[in-house]
Amino acid sequence: MPVPPTSGRLQWTDVPTALRARLEDALGAPVTDTVTPGGGFGHQLAAALRLADGRRAFVKAAPDDDPLTAANVHEAAVLDALPPGAPAPKLLGIHHAANWTAVVIAHLDGPHPDLSPASGDAGQTWALLDKLTSSPAPAPYAKAVSTTPSTAAGLHGWDELLRDPPADLAPAARDRLPQLAELEAAWPALARGNRIVHGDLRADNMVRDRHLGVTFVDWAHATTGPACIDAASLAPQLVLAGHAPADIARLLCDHPATATNPDATTAFLTALTGHWHRNARKPAPPAPPDCAPTSTAPPPRASPSSATA
Ligand SMILES: Nc1ncnc2c1ncn2[C@@H]1O[C@H](COP(=O)(O)OP(=O)(O)OP(=O)(O)O)[C@@H](O)[C@H]1O
Ligand SMILES: [Mg+2]
């Protein structure tokens, strides 16, 4: 397996010639330029290709013995099975050559959404989630994710913090540790559901496309579950982006994705915050130089997909 370059991600020139040729053949034009978006945590190729005729396509690729290839193939199956109108780019194809696999996805044109109160992007994201989770996942989607375990279901942390409370735990949390551990203990039984769950929803896994508006990318962790998971996982991110916690609490009570199941929403948010409080006290994981977290970003891998039970 090639060693990831210091930029943190494999580049187009790291892809075996046979696979590059296969992709150019399938796309119908030579690749003239590639742009690797900044940020993210993966080491695979994830790049926008510009073709000689001006079209663009997004490609994710890795060697077949890299675990990210299985994740990319899962993402491709999910993209192919999402219902019409889902906020996701279209799958254009999967290609194999030289023991590598590439997934080609329609290119989205725009920045990550701005989740701050000054922008309408957060409201648009909630509306998308309300719509996406308003009915059960269609059968092809449920089949595509049927073998994928829900990492969100394994979230916890208050149980461990209750057993050994850290000295630096905020008094508001310390005083409520038994209650938090009890709420969290209810989560696994409430984590089942038949709605579409993206499972890793963060601003850097969304693009505000100039034609489609806010669109979710990186569906590698998609599963089924209760409607609240993606919407509730946004709550702490919105607070980090400058929203008042009281406003977010009102949103959780008002939006169908969360309001229809307040017990699951509360249990999920308790398990998620327990996970963060516990994991934030562990040593930082190694990160490539250009992927170092900034002071304003959410904790690395703080989303449900990062669960390490
Ligand atoms: N279809 C697309 N069109 C344009 N840009 C995209 C598209 N899909 C993803 N991106 C951009 O590329 C970045 C990396 O893509 P993605 O998140 O799918 O890769 P990943 O390696 O699975 O990510 P992570 O680093 O979060 O594990 C995204 O943060 C986004 O900025
Ligand atoms: Mg991503």
Side-chain angles (χ1 to χ4, degrees):
M1 183 188 304
V3 175
T6 51
S7 67
R9 279 210 189 266
L10 293 168
Q11 303 295 307
W12 175 244
T13 46
D14 297 317
V15 177
T17 314
L19 183 57
R20 282 190 272 156
R22 174 74 58 87
L23 287 168
E24 291 186 326
D25 195 39
L27 289 164
V31 171
T32 53
D33 190 22
T34 64
V35 175
T36 302
F41 301 91
H43 56 264
Q44 65 184 320
L45 174 81
L49 309 181
R50 185 177 285 283
L51 306 175
D53 59 10
R55 286 177 299 131
R56 282 186 287 180
F58 193 78
V59 64
K60 295 171 80 163
D64 288 342
D65 60 358
D66 186 320
L68 288 178
T69 287
N72 291 342
V73 169
H74 174 65
E75 178 174 6
V78 167
L79 291 178
D80 210 27
L82 281 166
K90 296 230 172 313
L91 174 71
L92 300 181
I94 305 183
H95 301 276
H96 308 274
N99 298 317
W100 276 56
T101 297
V103 171
V104 186
I105 301 169
H107 179 260
L108 300 168
D109 192 8
H112 297 307
D114 170 8
L115 298 183
S116 76
S119 158
D121 291 351
Q124 197 185 134
T125 305
W126 279 87
L128 288 170
L129 288 170
D130 286 341
K131 185 164 174 241
L132 188 68
T133 58
S134 64
S135 52
Y141 175 93
K143 185 162 182 263
V145 303
S146 60
T147 55
T148 312
S150 163
T151 47
L155 289 168
H156 69 105
W158 295 114
D159 51 348
E160 290 182 22
L161 297 166
L162 175 65
R163 280 197 293 278
D164 186 13
D168 61 349
L169 196 60
R174 176 181 286 273
D175 294 347
R176 294 171 179 81
L177 272 173
Q179 192 188 355
L180 290 165
E182 192 183 325
L183 283 168
E184 170 186 274
W187 169 237
L190 297 168
R192 281 185 287 275
N194 61 5
R195 307 300 152 118
I196 291 171
V197 177
H198 176 284
D200 200 11
L201 209 56
R202 317 181 302 244
D204 67 278
N205 280 338
M206 304 181 215
V207 174
R208 193 205 306 126
D209 179 75
R210 65 158 83 186
H211 300 297
L212 302 174
V214 174
T215 306
F216 306 160
V217 300
D218 201 357
W219 287 80
H221 303 282
T223 55
T224 48
C228 65
I229 291 183
D230 287 329
S233 75
L234 284 180
Q237 301 183 47
L238 293 173
V239 173
L240 282 171
H243 293 258
D247 291 341
I248 300 307
R250 263 191 297 279
L251 280 177
L252 291 168
C253 294
D254 287 350
H255 274 276
T258 43
T260 46
N261 198 341
D263 289 347
T265 302
T266 303
F268 168 72
L269 273 174
T270 312
L272 182 65
T273 51
H275 169 77
W276 285 358
H277 274 279
R278 181 194 56 172
N279 279 18
R281 289 174 168 79
K282 292 183 176 168
D290 69 343
C291 295
T294 65
S295 57
T296 53
R301 282 297 177 206
S303 57
S305 73
S306 64
T308 47

